Amino acid sequence: KATVSVLYCIPLNMSGKVAAPATGKYGEVKFEAKEPASGQPKWYKPTTGIDKGLKVMNTLTNELEAFVPGKDNKVLWYTCGPTVYDACHMGHARAYLTFDILRRITEDYFKYDLLYHVNITDIDDKIIMRSRVNHLIDEYIAENNDFKTVSEKVKQAMEKKSASLKAKGEVLQHDLPSSAIKREVVALKEQREVHALKMNHFKEASANVEEALKGTDPMAVINAGRAELGELLDAEKGASVTDHSVFLKHAKKYEKEYFEDMASLGIKEPDVLTRVTEYVPQIKDFIQKIIDKGLAYESKGSVYLSIDAFKEAGHDYRKLVPGVDTTAEEMAEGEGALAAEGEKKNPNDFALWKSSKVGEPEWDSQWGKGRPGWHIECSVVASDILGPVMDVHAGGCDLRFPHHDNELAQSEAHFGHGQWVNYFFHAGHLKIKGLKMSKSLKNFVTIRQALETFTAREIRMMFLLQPWNKEMNFSDQTVDDAKSKEKTFREFFHKVSEISRTPWDQLPVGLQNKEKENELLELLFKTQETVHNSFCNNFNTPAAIIAMVDMVGAFNKYAYETENPSVHVSKKIATYITSIFRILGLVVGNDEIGFGQEGGSSNKDEAGKFLEVLTNFRTEIRNIARAKGSDMKSILEACDAIRDVLPPLGGKINDLDGGKSSWQLDDPAILMKELNERKTREAEAAAKKLKALIDKKQKELDKLTDVFKKGHPDKMFLNDAQYKGFTFDDEGFPQKQANGEDVTKSASKNHKKYKTVQEKAWKDLTTKSGGGDMKAFLDGLAAEIDSLKAGGK
């Protein structure tokens, strides 16, 4: 078990280690030291804040820890923002929606005073490479429109990419030695899976290029091999791109898209927003202070943190992923695709400042022209806004190392204490078919694509139903579960609204179904306790949602079995669930009950009165039509037509048992989606029914045509070519074969059976054709089938 030491209020060295910070943004902070059972370095638990019973999974200890702010009720929170080089996908939504949910619970449920800071990475290796590639492709398109020239260039690019993938595949074929640790074995397996996926994508691209090469359109060839062409052009001419505006324009475009996507998902804006490019002077000063302490050094215009000097000064490295050596792949990831060219004293040293190469943006510095390293930006902007120690730092689990461990090292080197972050939150990966959703793997669904299929509420519900710090799969099962739960709650809110429509003064009050309603209220109190305990237990939203689903299930049973459900008990349950959903970001607007609608609900009462009258009128008309019979079908159809024009207005009429109807108000987008889905199902059912009818009539036509071809039963054998040369008796039965031999007894017996069947079929054809022209009847039936087929298209 973890051991707890005495309290410390000043950063004194203990056992050669750097102690906790003494002051934060809001003044003096105190801690008590703890040795994590996970074997991670010593962690300092804050003691000067308010403990409200919340326990969180802290990646600094890999244990559930009591959440206590550094000072009073104030929470300083930093979340790694996007690297704005491309469109956001659902993997990004996993992180940003997750932390939006955690932020809301911390701020709106536990009532902490929270300062939420997000940084935009608007200069980075990925941005440089993507903007450079796009710029070079645009240039190439402007300068080349000859099909032959373009074709040769794209073929060259495809050949180069093929050789690169082949070389990588050969390296990955080699098995690890038996002494390899589990982490290396798992990493190799994943690298092979990733490579296989990349090979499949390349095969698809190659096929698309081959198809485009059969035509004459140069743009079709470029589009088919765009990624590979971009890589080739960047290798050839990337150094020629030196205009800063190329990189900044690219970043601005995707920063704007990022905020649009966040708004579409209902994610709250940060309290403070920063950009790396606006912090370059502060970054240089921050780095210089680390150099002055002897913990960083310059090499060929780049600056590196010295891991050896850092440890010798009493600091710990690595905190989040300790006890293992840094692999070559991790080091490469830490430096980025465009690594600095300086000479390191230790392979684990990482760049704080990179000397810019040609084709990269650059700023003047005391070490020469260069740009910030990947990790330094977060340390500088977060420290500037939140001070020398923050309460929460959040990001995706893939950032634990190298990014977050390196952030901790450079920040603690700068400030000279042992804890820059008190609690680290890492959201689990979103996986698709077993692999992390990633741009580089081309296995992603953009947020905008997802919102074409699902509502923002369904997406949020999907994440609420998964543990926030565990891996989750983006699959039909997880999506369908979220949609089902969301629909359950939506229908529950509509039912409560329906129950609440009758004015309370027109109904008996009190508990009319005392036993059932007392049971329901007791379950509500237990649900409230479960939700609270779930939130306290590491933001356990899945358990909270399931508790409320069970509450709704019990209510539905009560409402179904009770003639006059209690308005007040029903509203009490719905109001509580709505209040929790509002905290979780599932509710828009200020309605007391329900999910609400975009744009508010100021006209809800007026719309409700209108729908009430319309619903009553429609119910009366439908009942009249039913009473009078089938000749009133057109009235019923008109009633259905009225029902189908209401969803765009946010209204819906539901037909109930016993000739009754009810109405509801909801988000027009949701109602239109339901209407379109219903119409799709109806169209599919109608198409299936039409196909069955066509198949039935075709089968009948084939059968009757065969009967017609055989002819009248008395002449069926005479007209049959297989009996050519036979002699027949007076009844038309074959008597002797063409060779003069008698027809066998068994054959004669079968002939009589055949004639009996034909007599019955001929009679049926005669009846169906009305005793008239059989050929004309069959032609008419064929024309009817053609008409049905044409109508189904």
Side-chain angles (χ1 to χ4, degrees):
K1 291 196 173 181
T3 58
V4 178
S5 75
V6 296
L7 291 177
Y8 297 97
C9 60
I10 56 174
L12 300 175
N13 286 330
M14 299 166 295
S15 303
K17 291 292 184 181
V18 177
T23 58
K25 182 180 180 74
Y26 299 115
E28 183 185 21
V29 289
K30 295 182 180 181
F31 300 86
E32 61 181 21
K34 171 183 176 179
E35 299 287 350
S38 62
Q40 288 172 270
K42 185 178 292 182
W43 174 67
Y44 298 97
K45 175 186 174 182
T47 61
T48 41
I50 300 175
D51 186 345
K52 299 187 179 183
L54 170 62
K55 292 186 180 294
V56 298
M57 177 53 69
N58 185 4
T59 325
L60 285 164
T61 63
N62 273 322
E63 297 174 25
L64 278 179
E65 305 287 359
F67 181 77
V68 181
K71 191 69 173 177
D72 302 329
N73 199 53
K74 302 178 181 68
V75 175
L76 301 170
W77 185 318
Y78 175 74
T79 292
C80 283
T83 300
V84 284
Y85 77 101
D86 207 336
C88 287
H89 56 65
M90 288 299 291
H92 299 121
R94 167 61 167 161
Y96 301 130
L97 246 177
T98 291
F99 296 132
D100 181 71
I101 291 166
L102 269 55
R103 172 194 182 183
R104 288 171 181 268
I105 295 173
T106 304
E107 194 168 28
D108 300 333
Y109 186 83
F110 289 104
K111 302 298 182 182
Y112 281 113
D113 300 321
L114 197 148
L115 181 61
Y116 194 83
H117 174 203
V118 170
N119 180 60
I120 300 292
T121 299
D122 58 349
I123 192 65
D124 172 84
D125 291 5
K126 291 179 180 178
I127 295 172
I128 294 169
M129 295 179 69
R130 185 60 61 87
S131 56
R132 206 162 62 188
V133 162
N134 288 346
H135 177 75
L136 291 171
I137 288 178
D138 289 343
E139 273 191 349
Y140 182 81
I141 291 172
E143 296 170 0
N144 297 275
N145 55 15
D146 176 66
F147 182 78
K148 182 178 179 181
T149 302
V150 169
S151 298
E152 291 302 318
K153 194 68 175 180
V154 171
K155 283 193 283 187
Q156 180 189 354
M158 299 303 288
E159 290 169 2
K160 183 178 180 182
K161 184 66 174 181
S162 177
S164 173
L165 288 171
K166 182 180 178 182
K168 180 67 173 178
E170 290 173 351
V171 172
L172 292 175
Q173 283 179 359
H174 299 295
D175 291 327
L176 294 170
S178 57
S179 59
I181 60 175
K182 182 179 179 181
R183 189 170 68 98
E184 293 173 331
V185 174
V186 172
L188 178 61
K189 180 177 180 293
E190 184 169 326
Q191 288 173 40
R192 286 172 173 172
E193 291 172 348
V194 166
H195 184 70
L197 184 61
K198 288 183 176 180
M199 286 296 297
N200 287 336
H201 289 319
F202 181 69
K203 287 178 182 177
E204 291 176 10
S206 298
N208 292 336
V209 169
E210 288 299 320
E211 187 64 30
L213 289 172
K214 295 177 182 177
T216 58
D217 182 6
M219 278 305 302
V221 179
I222 289 173
N223 290 334
R226 183 181 178 91
E228 293 75 16
L229 175 62
E231 288 185 24
L232 178 62
L233 293 174
D234 191 56
E236 293 177 345
K237 302 176 66 177
S240 67
V241 183
T242 57
D243 184 356
H244 266 227
S245 66
V246 171
F247 310 111
L248 293 176
K249 181 181 177 183
H250 184 93
K252 284 290 185 185
K253 173 188 176 183
Y254 288 108
E255 178 185 325
K256 181 174 181 290
E257 286 192 11
Y258 161 77
F259 281 110
E260 290 171 350
D261 289 345
M262 296 303 100
S264 297
L265 291 173
I267 293 173
K268 292 172 69 173
E269 292 183 354
D271 299 318
V272 180
L273 178 71
T274 51
R275 295 187 187 93
V276 178
T277 54
E278 297 171 4
Y279 264 81
V280 174
Q282 294 95 319
I283 289 172
K284 290 185 288 187
D285 291 343
F286 196 95
I287 294 171
Q288 186 60 54
K289 186 173 179 180
I290 301 174
I291 294 175
D292 292 343
K293 290 185 174 186
L295 302 181
Y297 58 93
E298 183 270 339
S299 175
K300 296 184 178 180
S302 296
V303 179
Y304 298 91
L305 185 85
S306 172
I307 297 301
D308 292 334
F310 181 70
K311 289 181 177 179
E312 288 170 5
H315 292 279
D316 290 304
Y317 182 83
R318 309 158 29 168
K319 287 187 172 185
L320 296 168
V321 188
V324 290
D325 293 330
T326 305
T327 65
E329 184 180 359
E330 288 171 333
M331 280 190 281
E333 182 182 355
E335 294 302 309
L338 304 174
E341 296 180 339
E343 295 177 358
K344 296 183 181 182
K345 294 179 180 179
N346 181 322
N348 291 334
D349 294 349
F350 58 89
L352 305 177
W353 182 266
K354 292 182 176 183
S355 175
S356 292
K357 299 186 286 291
V358 288
E360 298 177 8
E362 59 186 26
W363 285 264
D364 290 328
S365 78
Q366 51 269 54
W367 316 290
K369 293 185 181 297
R371 57 189 177 88
W374 172 29
H375 319 294
I376 195 68
E377 60 184 72
C378 292
S379 293
V380 176
V381 298
S383 297
D384 180 61
I385 301 301
L386 305 178
V389 58
M390 71 184 73
D391 296 297
V392 177
H393 190 322
C397 64
D398 55 323
L399 298 177
R400 286 183 305 166
F401 184 84
H403 185 50
H404 288 158
D405 260 323
N406 288 354
E407 274 186 44
L408 289 171
Q410 62 203 12
S411 300
E412 290 165 10
H414 176 87
F415 289 111
H417 60 58
Q419 188 158 294
W420 182 57
V421 174
N422 294 336
Y423 299 89
F424 242 118
F425 294 168
H426 285 104
H429 278 316
L430 181 68
K431 290 198 167 184
I432 185 166
K433 296 181 180 178
L435 291 174
K436 183 183 81 167
M437 191 176 286
S438 166
K439 283 283 182 182
S440 62
L441 299 182
K442 300 179 183 178
N443 65 341
F444 61 91
V445 177
T446 69
I447 290 173
R448 298 184 181 205
Q449 288 170 334
L451 287 171
E452 291 174 2
T453 307
F454 317 113
T455 66
R457 189 159 65 231
E458 288 168 344
I459 293 172
R460 185 174 287 259
M461 181 67 78
M462 178 176 67
F463 290 138
L464 285 165
L465 288 167
Q466 307 295 323
W468 68 271
N469 58 324
K470 304 292 184 184
E471 284 185 356
M472 68 169 286
N473 283 313
F474 186 67
S475 64
D476 291 341
Q477 182 178 354
T478 53
V479 169
D480 290 345
D481 185 39
K483 292 173 71 174
S484 173
K485 298 271 190 311
E486 189 267 353
K487 185 178 180 181
T488 295
F489 287 114
R490 189 152 41 88
E491 291 179 346
F492 158 70
F493 289 135
H494 293 319
K495 183 63 179 177
V496 174
S497 295
E498 182 184 335
I499 291 170
S500 304
R501 281 178 198 142
T502 303
W504 66 268
D505 58 353
Q506 296 180 22
L507 293 172
V509 293
L511 301 181
Q512 297 299 309
N513 305 279
K514 194 170 185 180
E515 183 177 347
K516 291 181 180 179
E517 284 152 5
N518 276 330
E519 288 179 359
L520 208 59
L521 288 169
E522 182 61 28
L523 180 58
L524 173 61
F525 300 145
K526 288 181 179 178
T527 300
Q528 291 171 330
E529 182 180 1
T530 299
V531 170
H532 176 74
N533 291 338
S534 298
F535 285 169
C536 286
N537 182 24
N538 194 35
F539 308 103
N540 189 351
T541 56
I545 296 294
I546 294 305
M548 288 185 283
V549 167
D550 293 342
M551 178 75 254
V552 168
F555 169 83
N556 289 340
K557 183 175 184 294
Y558 157 78
Y560 179 78
E561 295 175 349
T562 305
E563 184 175 352
N564 292 306
S566 168
V567 173
H568 294 91
V569 172
S570 301
K571 289 179 70 174
K572 182 177 180 65
I573 295 168
T575 299
Y576 168 71
I577 293 177
T578 301
S579 70
I580 296 299
F581 280 4
R582 181 171 284 109
I583 288 169
L584 297 175
L586 289 166
V587 172
V588 296
N590 298 310
D591 291 350
E592 183 184 15
I593 292 175
F595 286 123
Q597 299 181 49
E598 295 289 349
S601 55
S602 58
N603 297 321
K604 199 165 188 177
D605 291 340
E606 290 75 8
K609 292 174 184 177
F610 163 74
L611 282 171
E612 186 73 46
V613 173
L614 179 61
T615 300
N616 292 338
F617 168 77
R618 183 175 175 276
T619 299
E620 183 178 358
I621 291 295
R622 291 174 75 244
N623 290 337
I624 291 173
R626 283 187 173 130
K628 293 204 170 187
S630 60
D631 60 323
M632 302 298 288
K633 181 181 177 183
S634 59
I635 295 180
L636 290 172
E637 290 175 346
C639 289
D640 288 340
I642 290 176
R643 177 192 63 196
D644 292 347
V645 299
L646 292 175
L649 306 176
K652 180 182 178 183
I653 293 178
N654 301 303
D655 294 327
L656 309 176
D657 295 336
K660 297 180 179 180
S661 299
S662 68
W663 61 267
Q664 68 184 61
L665 294 172
D666 209 331
D667 187 336
I670 292 175
L671 294 181
M672 283 303 299
K673 183 181 176 184
E674 287 184 348
L675 176 62
N676 291 333
E677 288 174 350
R678 177 171 65 79
K679 286 188 174 294
T680 298
R681 290 194 301 271
E682 290 174 351
E684 290 173 349
K688 185 177 181 181
K689 184 177 180 181
L690 178 62
K691 184 178 183 303
L693 177 62
I694 291 172
D695 290 346
K696 180 181 178 181
K697 287 188 174 292
Q698 186 65 55
K699 186 176 181 181
E700 180 184 25
L701 175 62
D702 294 342
K703 178 182 176 181
L704 294 177
T705 299
D706 183 59
V707 170
F708 179 72
K709 287 180 179 178
K710 288 179 180 178
H712 193 281
D714 293 339
K715 298 180 180 180
M716 61 179 292
F717 298 113
L718 292 169
N719 297 333
D720 195 331
Q722 67 175 310
Y723 295 104
K724 185 178 180 179
F726 280 50
T727 58
F728 302 87
D729 62 16
D730 294 339
E731 295 181 27
F733 287 109
Q735 192 172 28
K736 288 185 179 291
Q737 301 180 51
N739 59 10
E741 295 181 5
D742 290 338
V743 173
T744 64
K745 290 182 179 181
S746 62
S748 295
K749 187 176 180 180
N750 287 333
H751 292 152
K752 290 180 181 179
K753 289 181 181 179
Y754 297 155
K755 185 176 181 180
T756 300
V757 171
Q758 179 67 0
E759 284 174 340
K760 184 178 179 181
W762 188 262
K763 183 178 179 181
D764 181 49
L765 176 58
T766 301
T767 300
K768 288 181 176 178
S769 62
D773 188 336
M774 293 182 178
K775 177 69 167 57
F777 167 72
L778 293 174
D779 289 343
L781 184 56
E784 182 184 355
I785 292 170
D786 289 340
S787 176
L788 287 172
K789 288 179 178 179
K793 291 180 181 177

